[in-house]
Amino acid sequence: MSDCRAMHVLADRIIELAFESGEHVSWATVGRAGESGTAIRPLRCDLYAGMAGMALFGSYYVACYGRNNRFWEKVIRSFAAQAEYELDRTSDVTAGYLEGVGAVSNTQLTLP
């Protein structure tokens, strides 16, 4: 499989797994719930395992291949809304390079 074909297959699979509601898009993941539990929840803003990574992937995918532009624009808007929510209303915001505030800053600086 060529690199180009592999990117299309990956992007199509990511789109298939998305949950869309109006103008918002997210994906389900397993996260902490309480002291020792886990729960299914929407992605947070982390770079490698969250909305920041999805927004970066999508923006570069559109820039390189020009496919699914409307979907990926919704992802970027959803990332911005999620980042605003997490920064304004969440008490456990982290400041690492790849998660929390750092991921939001890095992603906003590198979006094409």
Side-chain angles (χ1 to χ4, degrees):
M1 181 182 297
S2 71
D3 290 345
C4 182
R5 176 77 180 121
M7 287 297 292
H8 294 318
V9 169
L10 176 61
D12 290 346
R13 183 67 177 142
I14 289 171
I15 291 170
E16 287 174 19
L17 295 172
F19 291 95
E20 293 185 69
S21 176
E23 286 299 309
H24 295 283
V25 179
S26 192
W27 290 263
T29 188
V30 176
R32 288 184 298 157
E35 290 293 316
S36 60
T38 57
I40 296 174
R41 61 174 176 79
L43 290 181
R44 292 191 60 179
C45 285
D46 301 341
L47 184 58
Y48 285 147
M51 287 298 291
M54 291 297 198
L56 276 177
F57 173 85
S59 63
Y60 282 101
Y61 182 75
V62 168
C64 293
Y65 301 108
R67 290 181 62 194
N68 305 108
N69 297 22
R70 183 160 165 27
F71 175 83
W72 292 110
E73 288 169 2
K74 284 172 60 172
V75 171
I76 292 167
R77 286 192 304 274
S78 296
F79 161 68
Q82 182 71 17
E84 181 179 333
Y85 173 82
E86 287 188 26
L87 294 174
D88 288 346
R89 296 174 187 88
T90 305
S91 62
D92 64 341
V93 173
T94 59
Y97 183 75
L98 301 175
E99 60 186 13
V101 177
V104 171
S105 300
N106 290 326
T107 302
Q108 289 175 335
L109 291 172
T110 57
L111 283 172

